[in-house]
Amino acid sequence: MAKFVLVGSGLAGGLLATYLGRRGYEVDLYERRADPREGNIVGGRSINLAISTRGIHALQTIGIAEEALQHAIPMRGRMIHDRSGELHFSPYDIDPKKCINSIGRAALNTTVIEAAQRYPNVRVHFNHKCTGVDIDSALAHLETANGAVTARGDAVVGVDGAFSAVRKSMQSEIAKFEYDESYLAHGYKELTIPPGPDGSWRMEKNALHIWPRKSFMMIALPNPDGSFTCTLFWEFEGPRSFATTKTDDDVRRFFAEEFPDALPLMPTLLDDFRNNPTGSLVTIRCAPWFYRDKACLVGDAAHAVVPFYGQGMNAAFEDCVVLDECLEEYSQNRERAFAEYFRRRKQNVDALADLAIGNFIEMRDKTASKTFRAKKKLDHALEAALPGIYLPLYTMVTFTRMPYARAAKRAQIQDALVYASPFLIAAILLAAMLWLVAN
Ligand SMILES: Cc1cc2nc3c(=O)[nH]c(=O)nc-3n(C[C@H](O)[C@H](O)[C@H](O)COP(=O)(O)OP(=O)(O)OC[C@H]3O[C@@H](n4cnc5c(N)ncnc54)[C@H](O)[C@@H]3O)c2cc1C
């Protein structure tokens, strides 16, 4: 059986190793960090994430959904906090069973790594940092505490995230490799709302909380211990921004003005603000994602998207399902399997990248408006009236496995019909009246 060298045991790396292990491939998975089970939190980035239908399907297919989701918290809709502290709840779907789930990144990462390690043909090596890959010979160069080592496989898969070392090697070795990275003007910072004194949640537990403030916003997702992880998405630069908010007084004043209902729930705000890093938000597009039968990219390494649709990990998990299907369909021709995987995924994750940027504007600006809430109600009314015919975009992206590009296209057509229909009806009525008058 062929041997795969996987670089990166993040969310997609662990899951892909499980899929490849199940197929009987030899797998060596190399991760630059220490074993997360030794208390090493997957640092600096979203402590919890929203997992939905696509991600859950990928876990179900491999038989680990129940184990992975045991501590997940269902979120049934958006809880909008306006400046006066008034709350508006907007359900995600007409079906109250359709929800997204807040899940801990570290726990999920451990689950997928342990699932992979149940296969004797999968070996995981922590504290191995990839410094580059010779893609012609599927050879990864790795740095360890004891010096440099190499790992040779039949193929190397880069599952090493947005700043992928494997992708960099492909970029320098493949002629006409297309690469584009773009950053938002906004960064993000994680903050905490700790549990209440009795370990209970100090806001509605089963909701994704949003404080939309037009050009910026804060969100909060619940954790199983009663806390919430808040993420402030804010401009890096500008008159009111991360750059100009320097002192504790600046931070306190900003929160008192913008998030007055959250401030009393955030006793560690000043420490969190000072100590937690400010992350950047990048979209990465590249092509091709493979080189012959020797190298391939999966997850953020191939297509990092901004987090506003809650789909980056879900899409990375869907990659694993599709790559697994392609390896099965073209089991005798790995290059064809890689090429087919790339063909099936590329236009869809490109569509997702655009949707994710669009949803930032919707979340930070439009969710605050009455028009937005009315549009969501209309969406749900149409969905109920036209079951299987009208599906809101959010529902297609989050609660189905319809390819992202098809969902985006279908939503455009639906919107055109819905918004054009009042004019169409008016025009027909006018024509009918004119006809009656004339006859
Ligand atoms: C603030 C924020 C919130 C998000 N929220 C959501 C959400 O709610 N829902 C959702 O679906 N997605 C969300 N995402 C996106 C999600 O985090 C990513 O899409 C997902 O982590 C991608 O998984 P991955 O395995 O491809 O990459 P990563 O999770 O980045 O894993 C890459 C792994 O490779 C390792 N690595 C990197 N370089 C090397 C190297 N040179 N050698 C060896 N190992 C290496 C890293 O240590 C890491 O373990 C969010 C992202 C952010 C930034």
Side-chain angles (χ1 to χ4, degrees):
M1 231 10 195
K3 177 175 160 187
F4 281 86
V5 168
L6 266 50
V7 177
S9 79
L11 298 173
L15 188 71
L16 184 62
T18 312
Y19 271 94
L20 295 176
R22 185 178 68 153
R23 286 225 171 272
Y25 293 111
E26 292 297 318
V27 180
D28 276 293
L29 174 55
Y30 294 94
E31 165 61 43
R32 71 175 170 193
R33 296 176 200 268
D35 189 336
R37 290 159 295 188
E38 290 164 8
N40 162 60
I41 302 296
V42 187
R45 212 162 39 126
S46 72
I47 289 161
N48 53 22
L49 313 105
I51 188 165
S52 48
T53 299
R54 295 166 203 266
I56 294 171
H57 170 77
L59 296 170
Q60 273 165 346
T61 305
I62 204 92
I64 56 171
E66 212 174 300
E67 182 185 349
L69 291 166
Q70 59 183 324
H71 300 300
I73 300 177
M75 299 181 288
R76 301 190 202 293
R78 309 169 183 87
M79 185 66 84
I80 310 296
H81 297 239
D82 69 19
R83 266 202 193 78
S84 67
E86 206 175 303
L87 301 178
H88 304 273
F89 182 73
S90 170
Y92 282 126
D93 197 81
I94 41 169
D95 178 354
K97 287 204 280 305
K98 284 196 182 139
C99 49
I100 60 175
N101 303 276
S102 175
I103 192 165
R105 184 186 285 269
L108 180 57
N109 207 168
T110 299
T111 303
V112 290
I113 291 171
E114 285 182 349
Q117 285 180 321
R118 281 179 210 137
Y119 294 96
N121 43 325
V122 176
R123 296 160 292 275
V124 186
H125 313 267
F126 293 102
N127 301 307
H128 281 67
K129 181 182 173 188
C130 177
T131 51
V133 174
D134 295 338
I135 55 171
D136 271 309
S137 50
L139 182 78
H141 299 275
L142 302 148
E143 226 172 61
T144 75
N146 303 320
V149 294
T150 55
R152 190 187 293 273
D154 295 297
V156 176
V157 185
V159 232
D160 47 347
F163 303 100
S164 167
V166 178
R167 188 186 63 228
K168 272 195 199 101
S169 294
M170 288 170 66
Q171 203 175 344
S172 60
E173 290 191 36
I174 300 175
K176 296 191 185 153
F177 187 86
E178 290 168 26
Y179 181 72
D180 180 66
E181 66 177 29
S182 61
Y183 287 87
L184 291 189
H186 293 68
Y188 71 93
K189 193 180 278 290
E190 296 206 319
L191 306 162
T192 308
I193 293 181
D198 53 353
S200 62
W201 290 266
R202 301 184 76 185
M203 303 186 295
E204 168 58 48
K205 170 189 173 190
N206 296 112
L208 188 150
H209 294 260
I210 311 179
W211 290 259
R213 297 294 180 262
K214 294 227 176 271
S215 73
F216 62 91
M217 69 172 177
M218 183 165 79
I219 65 168
L221 272 70
N223 296 311
D225 67 355
S227 67
F228 286 85
T229 302
C230 307
T231 312
L232 171 65
F233 296 97
W234 200 16
E235 285 97 332
F236 276 115
E237 305 285 340
R240 277 173 102 217
S241 64
F242 281 119
T244 55
T245 307
K246 294 204 169 84
T247 66
D248 286 355
D249 273 351
D250 293 340
V251 177
R252 212 180 289 113
R253 196 173 325 112
F254 172 63
F255 272 74
E257 282 169 13
E258 299 294 345
F259 314 117
D261 62 333
L263 182 59
L265 308 179
M266 304 175 86
T268 57
L269 171 66
L270 300 178
D271 285 341
D272 289 349
F273 202 93
R274 217 178 299 118
N275 300 330
N276 294 351
T278 309
S280 54
L281 297 163
V282 67
T283 302
I284 288 173
R285 300 172 201 253
C286 68
W289 297 353
F290 69 102
Y291 175 73
R292 299 196 185 141
D293 62 348
K294 296 291 180 203
C296 189
L297 299 172
V298 168
D300 276 17
H303 52 76
V305 299
V306 293
F308 305 109
Y309 234 111
Q311 285 294 312
M313 167 197 53
N314 286 284
F317 279 11
E318 204 169 47
D319 285 351
C320 299
V321 175
V322 175
L323 179 55
D324 180 63
E325 285 166 1
C326 293
L327 286 168
E328 183 182 25
E329 276 173 50
Y330 303 102
S331 58
Q332 300 309 313
N333 185 345
R334 196 170 49 248
E335 179 170 358
R336 181 83 199 275
F338 286 169
E340 186 60 21
Y341 151 74
F342 172 60
R343 193 190 65 75
R344 290 183 195 176
R345 293 302 285 157
K346 174 65 176 158
Q347 58 169 333
N348 288 308
V349 291
D350 280 350
L352 173 62
D354 295 337
L355 289 173
I357 290 172
N359 214 41
F360 183 31
I361 299 161
E362 173 155 322
M363 284 177 86
R364 70 176 201 221
D365 187 353
K366 298 194 181 139
T367 52
S369 76
K370 287 196 176 116
T371 320
F372 172 84
R373 291 200 287 274
K375 162 92 170 65
K376 287 290 154 199
K377 282 190 183 143
L378 175 65
D379 264 355
H380 291 169
L382 288 168
E383 189 185 359
L386 305 165
I389 298 172
Y390 185 91
L391 281 173
L393 176 60
Y394 189 86
T395 298
M396 291 189 275
V397 169
T398 310
F399 301 125
T400 77
R401 293 192 294 116
M402 183 186 299
Y404 292 118
R406 197 189 303 157
K409 188 86 209 143
R410 183 164 161 177
Q412 269 176 4
I413 295 168
Q414 288 179 170
D415 274 1
L417 288 175
V418 169
Y419 292 112
S421 56
F423 298 105
L424 210 63
I425 292 165
I428 292 167
L429 285 175
L430 188 66
M433 277 164 59
L434 290 173
W435 184 84
L436 282 173
V437 171
N439 295 282

